[in-house]
């Protein structure tokens, strides 16, 4: 097939038409205008929700069968969208989905529990924690269900039981079950994620157990190659079978972000401890040294080569949210963080010009649509727009002492039967085969084997 050979003049007219169309469908973002940011977020959130089928008849709320953890990132984005814009359009989907996947108050729903990783479950715990901190009405107040705080506590309770002293003197393994590849690794997002969740529970509840665990996970992480408190380098993973003396060194924004976020909560919770301030500043500086292109956030490991998979595309959106919370909790970082949030949002807006309907691309730093399309692109764009709302609303996430009224249940999730060791409750070979297949799909996604299809622009 050859190209249609338009006369040059016609081609110029056609090109001008495309440019005009692009202009008409660009997100015209004025980064200093609150309404303009809200409008941009509304556009990307609408597109994000076109991928959500959980509220349709015959569908399961909050279920993303092949990528369960991603549901938590969708709901995280929706929570912050609602909080900072006041738009309640999606709140029913949000509440129902967050409850439906709750399992026995711990985000280990039996449909998924036999192949989840610690990080997958942890992200749902962070979503519930965010709901509590942003004062999203407890489901118990508007019907039936678990309180947001108890769900975060349930995830914490089930995860600390998996703290693994059989290797490396502690640490969370990446995976929960032995048959999953990745079980032999201890990784930054599982440990940094539980660290963040513990720090947020500490600040919200003032219960000592949570700050003790935050410190324990932090100092254990420092004792491994996962994180260094001299260079502030964060490695992706380390091998339990090699006594955690090696490092898988792929660089990802969210690994830095989750440790920074946890340190920010500990700083705020301790009324300004210098240990945590040093950690926040060290990680923030290193993050910006590593992942910025002209002040625009870039996932350096996969964006230049266009090899980001669905998971990877979400990471800098998560970092965007965590940067905005850090700026609120550690006010001295605000002036350093804000220019990056602004430049990234402006570039992201220019990437949202695809398909004449504001489809957003992956690489914000190109400042133009790059041909990619998917729910993940829309989630990350929503996150960076909403993160900029802290310029207008600097109210910090609440605690039980500053207006938060989500109901506490310190023993949430303690009785979940699907969380017991499957060696003690035998499963059939068929179940196991099914779980392994799903695991390969999941792990493949994480490692980047699957990639995704590049759509032409
Ligand atoms: C935008 O157009 C693309 C290509 O037709 C389509 O796949 C996508 O669903 C559309 N997005 C919205 C929000 O309508
Ligand atoms: C599902 O939610 C979307 C908004 O994301 C809405 O447009 C749609 O009407 C809802 N569908 C049903 C069946 O409630
Ligand atoms: C689990 O699967 C069943 C059968 O498809 C479904 O009815 C239920 O809603 C699912 N639960 C969750 C938490 O996804
Ligand atoms: C922080 O300060 C408040 C108010 O002075 C005090 O009640 C609280 O105990 C302090 N927190 C810590 C962890 O020292
Ligand atoms: C904790 O966060 C609040 C809310 O943003 C802020 O006012 C306060 O100054 C922070 N505490 C410290 C010690 O910086």
């Amino acid at each position: 097939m050859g190209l249609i050979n338009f006369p040059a003049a016609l081609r110029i007219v056609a090109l001008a038409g495309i440019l005009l169309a692009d202009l008409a469908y660009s997100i015209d973002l004025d980064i200093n205008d609150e309404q303009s940011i809200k409008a941009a977020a509304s556009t990307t959130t609408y597109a994000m929700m076109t991928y959500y089928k959980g509220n349709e008849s015959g569908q399961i709320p909050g279920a993303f069968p092949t990528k369960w953890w991603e549901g938590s990132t969708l709901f995280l984005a929706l929570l912050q969208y609602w909080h900072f814009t006041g738009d309640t359009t999606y709140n029913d989907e949000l509440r129902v989905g967050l409850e439906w996947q709750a399992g026995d108050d711990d985000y280990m729903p039996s449909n998924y529990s036999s192949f989840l990783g610690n990080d997958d479950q942890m992200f749902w715990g962070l979503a519930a924690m965010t709901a509590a901190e942003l004062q999203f009405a407890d489901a118990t107040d508007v019907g039936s269900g678990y309180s947001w705080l108890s769900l975060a506590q349930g995830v914490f309770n089930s995860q600390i039981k998996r703290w693994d002293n059989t290797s490396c003197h502690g640490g969370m393994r990446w995976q929960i079950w032995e048959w999953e590849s990745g079980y032999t690794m201890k990784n930054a997002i599982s440990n940094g994620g539980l660290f963040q969740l513990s720090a947020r529970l500490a600040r919200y509840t003032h219960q000592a157990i949570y700050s003790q665990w935050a410190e324990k996970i932090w100092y254990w992480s420092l004792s491994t190659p996962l994180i260094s408190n001299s260079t502030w380098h964060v490695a992706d993973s380390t091998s339990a079978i090699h006594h955690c003396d090696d490092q898988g060194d792929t660089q990802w924004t969210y690994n830095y972000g989750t440790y920074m976020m946890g340190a920010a909560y500990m700083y705020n919770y301790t009324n300004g401890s210098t240990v945590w301030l040093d950690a926040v500043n060290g990680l923030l500086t290193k993050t910006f040294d590593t992942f910025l292109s002209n002040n625009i956030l870039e996932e350096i490991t996969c964006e230049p080569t266009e090899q980001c998979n669905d998971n990877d595309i979400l990471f800098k959106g998560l970092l965007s949210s965590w940067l905005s919370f850090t700026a609120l909790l550690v006010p001295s970082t605000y002036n350093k963080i804000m220019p990056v949030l602004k430049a990234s949002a402006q570039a992201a807006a220019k990437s949202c010009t695809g398909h004449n309907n504001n489809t957003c691309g992956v690489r914000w730093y190109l400042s133009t649509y790059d041909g990619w399309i998917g729910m993940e692109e829309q989630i990350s764009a929503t996150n960076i727009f909403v993160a900029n709302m802290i310029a207008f609303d600097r109210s910090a996430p609440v605690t039980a002492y500053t207006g938060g009224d989500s109901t506490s249940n310190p023993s949430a999730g303690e009785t979940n039967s699907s969380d017991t060791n499957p060696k003690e409750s035998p499963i059939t070979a068929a179940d196991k085969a099914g779980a392994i297949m799903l695991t390969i799909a999941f792990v493949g996604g994480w490692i980047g084997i699957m990639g995704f299809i590049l759509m032409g622009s």
Side-chain angles (χ1 to χ4, degrees):
M1 279 202 306
L3 290 170
I4 298 167
N5 198 3
F6 282 119
L10 255 182
R11 260 186 290 160
I12 288 164
V13 171
L15 188 62
I18 290 166
L19 286 175
L20 276 176
D22 267 2
L23 274 180
Y25 289 100
S26 67
I27 291 181
D28 190 13
L29 178 66
D30 176 352
I31 199 65
N32 297 310
D33 179 80
E34 187 179 350
Q35 294 312 321
S36 175
I37 298 172
K38 286 184 179 176
S42 165
T43 301
T44 53
T45 301
Y46 173 82
M48 171 180 105
M49 289 305 285
T50 62
Y51 294 90
Y52 184 69
K53 306 295 176 204
N55 65 336
E56 291 170 10
S57 79
Q59 302 285 330
I60 302 170
F64 290 85
T66 60
K67 44 186 185 184
W68 183 73
W69 89 281
E70 289 197 31
S72 69
T73 67
L74 180 96
F75 293 135
L76 272 166
L78 273 187
L79 279 164
Q80 292 163 84
Y81 171 73
W82 154 74
H83 172 79
F84 284 107
T85 68
D87 181 355
T88 59
T89 305
Y90 311 104
N91 282 14
D92 288 343
E93 283 82 18
L94 179 51
R95 180 174 289 104
V96 174
L98 274 179
E99 285 293 337
W100 201 274
Q101 296 301 321
D104 294 333
D105 207 359
D106 61 355
Y107 287 118
M108 287 288 285
S110 57
N111 290 358
Y112 298 98
S113 57
S114 58
F115 58 89
L116 292 186
N118 281 310
D119 47 359
D120 301 315
Q121 182 199 21
M122 180 277 299
F123 267 104
W124 284 84
L126 290 183
M129 191 72 229
T130 304
E133 291 175 344
L134 298 183
Q135 296 176 288
F136 189 57
D138 265 353
T140 35
D141 295 345
V142 295
S144 63
Y146 299 111
S147 72
W148 307 127
L149 179 58
S150 75
L151 281 160
Q153 290 168 313
V155 171
F156 171 88
N157 287 334
S158 58
Q159 295 223 336
I160 59 172
K161 289 202 195 82
R162 301 184 200 126
W163 186 258
D164 172 56
N165 284 312
T166 66
S167 57
C168 317
H169 309 292
M172 297 298 292
R173 290 175 181 270
W174 175 16
Q175 297 296 325
I176 299 171
W177 312 117
E178 238 171 292
W179 62 74
E180 290 184 291
S181 75
Y183 179 75
T184 57
M185 285 154 70
K186 297 194 173 177
N187 65 337
I189 196 60
S190 297
N191 285 284
L194 184 58
F195 165 61
Q196 179 189 155
L197 184 65
S198 305
R200 293 171 75 164
L201 282 166
R203 181 176 172 274
Y204 192 97
T205 67
H206 290 194
Q207 298 298 306
I209 183 172
Y210 303 119
S211 55
Q212 284 160 2
W213 270 94
E215 292 191 358
K216 175 172 173 162
I217 302 164
W218 173 257
Y219 288 108
W220 176 83
S221 298
L222 285 179
S223 78
T224 72
L226 288 179
I227 176 167
S228 156
N229 63 354
S230 53
T231 64
W232 298 108
H233 183 92
V234 178
D236 184 64
S237 60
T238 183
S239 320
I241 43 175
H242 296 135
H243 315 291
C244 294
D245 59 8
D246 58 359
Q247 70 196 69
D249 221 9
T250 318
Q251 294 291 289
W252 299 113
T253 51
Y254 79 153
N255 287 335
Y256 286 80
T258 195
Y259 279 112
M260 180 191 67
M261 181 81 155
Y265 272 82
M266 288 305 284
Y267 167 82
N268 198 269
Y269 167 62
T270 56
N271 295 327
S273 138
T274 52
V275 173
W276 296 115
L277 183 61
D278 289 349
V280 170
N281 286 331
L283 286 166
L284 181 60
T285 301
K286 183 73 175 181
T287 301
F288 284 177
D289 285 350
T290 309
F291 297 105
L292 293 185
S293 162
N294 292 324
N295 252 7
I296 299 162
L297 291 170
E298 176 190 356
E299 201 63 68
I300 55 163
T301 292
C302 64
E303 290 189 19
T305 52
E306 290 194 75
Q307 286 175 343
C308 300
N309 67 28
D310 285 355
N311 298 315
D312 308 341
I313 294 167
L314 292 164
F315 296 163
K316 70 181 185 298
L318 291 164
L319 175 66
S320 303
S321 300
W322 296 341
L323 283 168
S324 68
F325 277 60
T326 297
L328 296 175
L329 295 165
V330 190
S332 59
T333 62
Y334 183 90
N335 288 335
K336 184 167 182 175
I337 288 174
M338 214 55 223
V340 169
L341 294 182
K342 284 188 177 186
S344 298
Q346 284 169 312
K350 290 179 185 152
S351 92
C352 296
T353 54
H355 297 285
N356 289 346
N357 67 6
N358 295 128
T359 293
C360 302
V362 171
R363 288 165 294 170
W364 299 340
Y365 66 88
L366 293 179
S367 293
T368 185
Y369 181 57
D370 67 359
W372 294 72
I373 182 169
M375 178 178 79
E376 297 77 9
E377 287 84 338
Q378 299 303 140
I379 291 176
S380 283
T382 295
N383 283 341
I384 189 63
F385 294 144
V386 169
N388 274 273
M389 287 298 295
I390 61 166
F392 310 99
D393 177 359
R394 289 175 75 161
S395 58
V398 301
T399 72
Y401 301 87
T402 59
D405 64 355
S406 189
T407 306
S408 175
N409 177 5
S411 56
E414 297 282 13
T415 55
N416 188 349
S417 52
S418 61
D419 198 25
T420 54
N421 190 330
K423 273 185 275 181
E424 289 156 26
S425 54
I427 54 170
T428 67
D431 282 346
K432 191 156 174 171
I436 289 169
M437 274 165 59
L438 285 160
T439 299
I440 290 166
F442 263 66
V443 172
W446 277 104
I447 304 178
I449 294 166
M450 294 173 77
F452 60 81
I453 299 161
L454 178 64
M455 311 285 285
S457 57

